[in-house]
Amino acid sequence: AQTVTQSQPEMSVQEAETVTLSCTYDTSESNYYLFWYKQPPSRQMILVIRQEAYKQQNATENRFSVNFQKAAKSFSLKISDSQLGDTAMYFCAFILYRDDKIIFGKGTRLHILP
Amino acid sequence: EAGVTQFPSHSVIEKGQTVTLRCDPISGHDNLYWYRRVMGKEIKFLLHFVKESKQDESGMPNNRFLAERTGGTYSTLKVQPAELEDSGVYFCASSQDRLVQYFGPGTRLTVL
């Protein structure tokens, strides 16, 4: 079965701090893409960062970076210099190359405190 | 460019009633997806359209759910009759290349 586990239902950090959100996933397949999506309160879900499973180099997007450990099936998200606008629900997810459906975790609600 | 829009944003209905959710994808996107998040659970795939054709409807819970995509443009998801367990947030997404799916804000459905 294809699953995603986010072990932290909720987190709070002070503005400007660095925070890491955990994610592990399970699939027997080798070819897939991994994602982190962000859904701010009452707003649309947007893609934060994407990682191709065959690439060893960790993806980065400005203050957002991932730590991808394929053997361990781990895909954590690090947010540096956190800002109030980072307050949101964060979903870890993946999609198989051969498929079209995204498999999501339950999400981590992140609060950035002033 | 307008994003994915969904209507209504919130719907409250009684058990046994019918509700129709609408999704307008980004113009030109052939792929349209429906997902659902039940409170406290993962977001789950429901189905996938390519233009007006159902490509994959393996996630549809049962035959009380009917999805259509008229002329390959907007899509509707009808629940008839609604049950308590149908409550949740229904997301629509569209994509050009399937890897990057753009999500709408969701419709929160409450069945009383």
Side-chain angles (χ1 to χ4, degrees), chain A residues 2-4 33 35 37 39 42-47 50 89 91 95-107 109, chain B residues 3-5 31 33 35 37 40-45 48 55-56 58-59 89 91 97-106:
Chain A
Q2 330 277 3
T3 59
V4 176
Y33 289 88
F35 309 102
Y37 279 90
Q39 186 178 25
S42 302
R43 293 178 61 186
Q44 279 162 266
M45 189 157 54
I46 58 173
L47 180 65
R50 181 176 78 182
M89 179 72 88
F91 294 98
I95 189 170
L96 302 176
Y97 275 23
R98 62 169 174 79
D99 208 349
D100 289 270
K101 59 175 77 78
I102 298 176
I103 311 298
F104 286 92
K106 290 184 179 181
R109 188 174 298 280
Chain B
V4 177
T5 57
N31 296 285
Y33 310 82
Y35 292 84
R37 184 177 187 225
K41 302 283 190 180
E42 299 88 348
I43 300 171
K44 293 279 195 185
F45 168 85
H48 169 212
Q55 182 76 12
D56 180 356
S58 61
V89 181
F91 294 100
D97 66 0
R98 86 177 178 82
L99 285 179
V100 181
Q101 296 184 19
Y102 297 87
F103 283 79

Side-chain angles (χ1 to χ4, degrees), chain B residues 8-107:
Chain B
S9 58
H10 193 180
S11 180
V12 181
I13 61 172
E14 299 280 336
K15 176 184 170 181
Q17 289 185 324
T18 297
V19 64
T20 300
L21 313 182
R22 174 171 170 143
C23 168
D24 286 80
I26 293 172
S27 178
H29 283 191
D30 290 338
N31 296 285
L32 187 148
Y33 310 82
W34 284 98
Y35 292 84
R36 177 175 74 171
R37 184 177 187 225
V38 172
M39 180 73 76
K41 302 283 190 180
E42 299 88 348
I43 300 171
K44 293 279 195 185
F45 168 85
L46 296 179
L47 87 159
H48 169 212
F49 284 99
V50 177
K51 297 185 180 179
E52 67 274 11
S53 300
K54 291 176 185 174
Q55 182 76 12
D56 180 356
E57 52 183 330
S58 61
M60 294 287 265
N62 50 61
N63 59 10
R64 295 186 293 103
F65 289 75
L66 175 64
E68 294 179 325
R69 189 177 183 193
T70 306
T73 55
Y74 70 92
S75 175
T76 57
L77 180 64
K78 182 162 74 173
V79 185
Q80 179 184 29
E83 298 288 346
L84 298 179
E85 64 265 24
D86 300 333
S87 293
V89 181
Y90 290 76
F91 294 100
C92 175
S94 72
S95 74
Q96 193 66 292
D97 66 0
R98 86 177 178 82
L99 285 179
V100 181
Q101 296 184 19
Y102 297 87
F103 283 79
T107 292

Side-chain angles (χ1 to χ4, degrees), chain A residues 29-93:
Chain A
E29 305 207 16
S30 301
N31 300 316
Y32 48 87
Y33 289 88
L34 292 151
F35 309 102
W36 278 97
Y37 279 90
K38 164 186 176 181
Q39 186 178 25
S42 302
R43 293 178 61 186
Q44 279 162 266
M45 189 157 54
I46 58 173
L47 180 65
V48 174
I49 198 164
R50 181 176 78 182
Q51 173 82 40
E52 297 169 61
Y54 67 87
K55 287 188 177 179
Q56 292 185 334
Q57 186 171 5
N58 289 324
T60 62
E61 286 289 340
N62 301 313
R63 298 181 295 107
F64 297 86
S65 61
V66 298
N67 184 0
F68 173 44
Q69 303 289 328
K70 190 171 185 179
K73 295 182 181 174
S74 171
F75 185 61
S76 62
L77 175 70
K78 185 171 83 171
I79 306 174
S80 303
D81 185 26
S82 57
Q83 300 175 358
L84 296 179
D86 295 333
T87 292
M89 179 72 88
Y90 287 81
F91 294 98
C92 179

